[in-house]
Amino acid sequence: MDQYFEEIKDLAVEIFENPELGFEEWKTRDLIRDYVKENFPAVVFKDFARTGFSFSLPDRDKDLKMCFLAELDAIYLPNHLCADKESGAAHACGHNTQVAIALALFRRLMEDDFYKSLDFNVDFIFVPAEEYVDLDHRKKLRQEGEIFYFGGKPEAMRLGVFDDYDFCICTHVMGGHYPEPSIEFLSDLSGFFYKFFHFKGKSAHAGFDPWQGINASSMAITFQNVLGLLRQQIDDSKMFRMNPVYVNEKMGFNTIPDNVSIGTDIRANDIDYLIEISQRLDHAAQGSAYAFQGQVEIHTEQGYLPFIHDRYLSQFGLDYAKDFPRIKKCYRDRPISAAGDIGDLAFMMPCVQVGYSGYKGNAHGVDFIHEDLDFVLSTFPDFLKGYLAHMSGKIDKEKLYRRTYKEYCQAIKALGGIVSEE
């Protein structure tokens, strides 16, 4: 066991026992910063997006620049065994160990000045608010000018935090239980948006003169039927998902309803397909309203973009894993319909998210908890250190892409989302 294991394990457990929701991870932030400062007093932190911060390793004159990410926040799951009693926050997605893994890797890179052997700079960035929860609070923060985007990475992108980097590496716990130490590459994620359709008709007495009304519920029912029939024309390879539901509707039996709202998420692993499906749903809603001489207002709430792992940089990790005997299984190419704001960052530059085992229970479930911290906080950081060393001196910068924040805004606009172009 490495010399830092116990202290980093204690920090991971303390964060697990004190979960915080996005943009409010103040205690988590202080625990990490105190640990870094205690061991490396010269470190200078750069703050962003309320609780987010970064710091750089020395030796900044290299041509390539990498950032290593960790996420600070918990999810909302009040029935979890270690949920916060006031906020309902719980670390049921493993972000507490992401933080600890980053610190364990940091210690390894600093030991004997190992970082100097790498041909790229390394910065560590701790990002708030990856989980898309607690949205009323985030809307309030937006109204107060504290944030604009609800996800921590898009907010950091807006603030220019990632402008100087060539590529990014991060980690994430794998869902499900694995009986042996395992990692994963190339688990692409879907993107998602929320859409709201507000059907407007005209009220009237349901018994006396219903023909004087325009039934908004009829429009909504027709819209639901269209969506059901539309599924036949959905490309299964895009991993499309939607879940339309009625939103906070109260209707009486004796009145023709004049306002009915339906909300749905839409998910897919391809941004162009998300745009296409979004437009199809708009047309379906407009047609359903038109059929009854009613109207529909459509509102899109921005989510996250699809995450496509960078194949070029991932291959270095896959190759290195073959020669790392303490990892028994390396999975690859298992896309899922879950989402994360790493997809937004990957729109701008190459990103790799390395999965790791060591948990039991269901991800985002009330029984989700770490099981093998020896692997998570010792073996896995050793692998990451070796992965970086294996890449060093081999990366062809011509194979790395770069898009601007302005281009990101254009993509979000095409989906119907709102952007900040400040």
Side-chain angles (χ1 to χ4, degrees), residues 120-140:
F120 45 83
N121 297 332
V122 180
D123 286 7
F124 285 84
I125 303 182
F126 295 84
V127 185
E130 186 273 337
E131 303 291 351
Y132 204 80
V133 299
D134 199 25
L135 298 188
D136 287 342
H137 177 59
R138 297 185 194 184
K139 288 176 183 177
K140 182 173 181 291

Side-chain angles (χ1 to χ4, degrees), residues 350-378:
C351 294
V352 175
Q353 183 168 271
V354 189
Y356 57 94
S357 66
Y359 275 72
K360 61 181 179 180
N362 296 314
H364 284 213
V366 296
D367 58 347
F368 192 70
I369 189 172
H370 44 261
E371 181 181 41
D372 186 0
L373 287 180
D374 289 356
F375 169 71
V376 173
L377 302 181
S378 184

Side-chain angles (χ1 to χ4, degrees), residues 199-369:
F199 293 96
K200 294 185 173 184
K202 179 182 176 183
S203 60
H205 195 291
F208 179 65
D209 57 352
W211 56 86
Q212 297 287 349
I214 298 176
N215 196 318
S217 180
S218 296
M219 303 178 214
I221 291 170
T222 300
F223 178 58
Q224 288 270 46
N225 288 333
V226 172
L227 294 185
L229 296 171
L230 185 65
R231 290 177 186 270
Q232 188 180 51
Q233 294 173 237
I234 297 297
D235 184 348
D236 289 341
S237 70
K238 306 299 184 181
M239 298 187 69
F240 178 78
R241 303 285 189 276
M242 63 179 171
N243 182 39
V245 297
Y246 287 90
V247 181
N248 300 325
E249 295 304 336
K250 295 181 179 179
M251 292 179 279
F253 294 113
N254 63 345
T255 302
I256 299 298
D258 61 353
N259 279 279
V260 175
S261 296
I262 288 180
T264 185
D265 61 342
I266 57 171
R267 297 173 180 264
N269 60 11
D270 182 300
I271 184 171
D272 292 329
Y273 201 67
L274 268 178
I275 294 170
E276 178 184 335
I277 291 295
S278 179
Q279 294 170 345
R280 284 201 217 173
L281 264 62
D282 290 353
H283 294 159
Q286 291 160 354
S288 299
Y290 182 78
F292 294 89
Q293 297 180 306
Q295 296 177 320
V296 61
E297 291 182 356
I298 302 171
H299 171 68
T300 301
E301 184 65 64
Q302 181 176 335
Y304 299 148
L305 295 184
F307 174 40
I308 307 300
H309 284 71
D310 188 74
R311 267 54 185 169
Y312 174 63
L313 295 176
S314 293
Q315 191 60 50
F316 291 112
L318 289 165
D319 292 342
Y320 180 69
K322 297 174 184 176
D323 299 319
F324 195 86
R326 285 183 289 161
I327 289 177
K328 303 303 180 185
K329 186 73 174 178
C330 180
Y331 295 89
R332 59 173 295 166
D333 296 310
R334 299 193 301 174
I336 57 177
S337 291
D341 61 359
I342 187 64
D344 294 69
L345 183 58
F347 180 86
M348 291 183 70
M349 65 179 176
C351 294
V352 175
Q353 183 168 271
V354 189
Y356 57 94
S357 66
Y359 275 72
K360 61 181 179 180
N362 296 314
H364 284 213
V366 296
D367 58 347
F368 192 70
I369 189 172

Side-chain angles (χ1 to χ4, degrees), residues 23 48-50 141-142 145-163 344-345 348 404-406 408-409 418-422:
F23 294 119
F48 65 91
R50 289 171 63 84
L141 291 177
R142 175 189 280 171
E146 288 283 316
I147 63 170
F148 184 86
Y149 295 111
F150 292 164
K153 295 183 192 70
E155 183 65 9
M157 290 159 57
R158 178 180 77 89
L159 298 171
V161 172
F162 297 108
D163 285 355
D344 294 69
L345 183 58
M348 291 183 70
T404 65
Y405 174 71
K406 182 177 180 180
Y408 170 76
C409 289
I418 61 172
V419 299
S420 172
E421 299 188 79
E422 298 175 358

Side-chain angles (χ1 to χ4, degrees), residues 12-32:
V13 172
E14 185 170 2
I15 294 174
F16 180 77
E17 293 175 347
N18 294 275
E20 297 167 298
L21 297 177
F23 294 119
E24 300 297 339
E25 310 97 324
W26 301 107
K27 183 171 184 178
T28 303
R29 171 183 181 268
D30 289 344
L31 285 169
I32 300 165

